[in-house]
Amino acid sequence: MSRMPTVAALVGNPNAGKSALFNALTGARQKIANYPGVTVERKAGRLLLPTGEPVELVDLPGSYSLDAASPDEEVTRKVIMGEQEGQVRPDVIVLVLDSSNLEQHLVFAQEVIGLGRPTVVALNMVDLAERDGLVIDPAALESALGVPVIPTVAVRRRGLTELAAAIGEARDRSQEHDAVPRPHVTLPERRMLAHQMADAAIISETAKHRIHARMDKVLLHPWAGPPILFALLFVVFQAVFTWATPFADGLEAAVGVLGDLVRTYIPPSLARDLLTDGVIAGVGSVVVFLPQIVILFFFILTMEATGYMARAAFLMDRMMAGVGLSGRSFIPLLSSFACAIPGIMATRSIADPKDRLTTILIAPMMTCSARLPVYAVIIAAFIPNTKVGPGIGQQGLVLFALYVAGIVGAMVVALVLRSSVTKGAASGFIMELPKYQLPTIKDLAIGLWQRAWIFLRRAGTIIFMVTIALWLLLNFPRAEPGQDQINASVAGTLANGLSVVLEPIGFNRDMSLAIIPAMAAREVAVSSLATTYAVGASDDEDQTAVALGDQLKARWTLPMALSFLAWFVFAPQCLSTIAVARRETNGWKWPAFMLAYLFALAYLAAFATFWTATAMGLG
Ligand SMILES: Nc1nc2c(ncn2[C@@H]2O[C@H](COP(=O)(O)OP(=O)(O)OP(=O)(O)O)[C@@H](O)[C@H]2O)c(=O)[nH]1
Ligand SMILES: [Mg+2]
């Protein structure tokens, strides 16, 4: 047998646990989460059979049918059929079924088995079925489907060896005879058969899942549900501030000490300035937000793992329909709170092209985690840390308001787009609700670690480089004695030019200076301000670092700060988002449109904020 390695593909309904199985079998770290539509691309990994032979295992997006409706389902169909470029047709199909949802998953299963190709069924999530009081007979299912059925629990690594062995056997059988497609069975027939098969395979069923049904009664209640969701999100933003404070203070102190050490032990020179003003002040000012990021992701990951995320989508469906979208757009939009890039990619699970395009266009308005440091630094400097109610801090409230401003802005834009450029009827929304699950500590820890690592890596690479470049542009050419270094520098000259345009929205030179490098990564706005003020202060007598917050307080007025925040709610700040929008819409037309309308919106919002605040006498 000296042929190409065997290829096996994981196929099944969304949320069946394909990626969890993939991770368990190959040691990969694909994203898994408890809602349908997590995986939108194929991903290959290597699995070793019990015989030691390697198999290429492909994880695929979930699918309800071989008649693909959405771009991610299309990937699955193409791979199964061997039409995907750069991917040989799988020799073995590993059909993943959710045992606790058997009847529903058997509908697509029959379609796949009907292809007559070597197939193995992974009867996954048998633990959840048991929890719900279901006992399933794999042998009955095996004889009904005519292919091997292996019970598995992906997240507990149960049944993996048996599954791997079955994959090997199926491959061996396939070499003996060719695929024999079975007679076509229509969808209604498959539905009926699925019902019969599930009935025959389920030995006993007790009504254990009452608690979860009762939870849904409350959480999905048309009146009680939305306030609960709202309250939950509110708690998240309070927590981002209050829980993070001790850790953030500690980190900030550590960065300060580091700067002082360098100042004490290295004689004054440009190189020392680069270290203190560029690296430590600049990059350090971003790194101190690690605790906030971790706390935010703790909540997002928990919502994803417990199954609440899909319920939130369900709750929001009605509101989304009001602006011409559906609950389908909710999860991509919510993912954009982490970063617009995975958010935009997640829109591949939306079938209607215009729904999808609208969602892509508004995704950047969801407050991504890179904006959190910008918001946090300004809020901490300008909004008093007072309580406005029991357990409600004013700072958390303002943060919450900024997130809400982004959401409301996005909804208004969606409404306008859906009645103009992306006109079309709102499509219906059906999403199966996943089972409630407690998140496993290990998965949560891995998820948080990955997030923290991404954040730190950004600080160490892109933010670091942009900050250094900015430091150079701020320091050259050198100022004449008595002249202001920043005004003399290349960066200062550019910023002074730009501030003519930005003056009407209350931006001073330093703010204008901060928003350009922030196009690389939004956190850079913070590091640029820190570096600018550190460079500006270098000539002063006092060499000790002044915390960025104090610098801001001394140099900005409240209306200026609010205007800066308003700008960051809407402005298209990161080039990677534009690049992904180009890829997902196949051209420059829509990203250009996105860029233009977001800039216009940001300018208007900052303008209105600045002048309203000024008129209110806040300056
Ligand atoms: N209890 C239990 N949970 C599981 C099992 N397999 C997967 N899960 C959980 O089920 C959820 C869905 O798993 P995924 O692997 O993301 O599902 P998927 O089939 O890849 O979903 P899509 O990518 O959306 O098609 C996650 O929360 C997993 O932790 C299992 O055998 N038992
Ligand atoms: Mg997946």
Side-chain angles (χ1 to χ4, degrees), residues 536-555:
S538 290
D539 298 335
D540 300 354
E541 300 294 313
D542 181 17
Q543 282 281 323
T544 45
V546 181
L548 178 57
D550 299 330
Q551 294 271 17
L552 296 175
K553 252 185 282 187
R555 293 163 196 255

Side-chain angles (χ1 to χ4, degrees), residues 14-20 30-33 37-41 59-62:
N15 213 39
K18 297 176 294 300
S19 301
Q30 277 281 82
K31 180 174 169 88
I32 60 171
V38 181
T39 310
V40 292
E41 281 182 309
D59 183 24
L60 291 173

Side-chain angles (χ1 to χ4, degrees), residues 277 467-479 484-493 495 509-510 513 527-536:
D277 301 347
T467 309
I468 299 295
L470 184 71
W471 181 87
L472 288 171
L473 292 176
L474 279 167
N475 273 284
F476 297 98
R478 299 299 296 166
D484 175 49
Q485 173 56 43
I486 296 174
N487 280 334
S489 69
V490 180
T493 313
R509 178 199 64 194
D510 311 325
L513 190 62
S527 63
S528 325
L529 287 170
T531 299
T532 308
Y533 289 137
V535 171

Side-chain angles (χ1 to χ4, degrees), residues 171-192:
R171 190 272 327 273
D172 294 343
R173 271 198 308 279
S174 77
Q175 283 164 346
E176 286 155 25
H177 41 74
D178 289 337
V180 195
R182 302 185 186 184
H184 181 73
V185 186
T186 62
L187 183 62
E189 286 170 329
R190 288 207 305 272
R191 288 219 176 100
M192 215 176 63

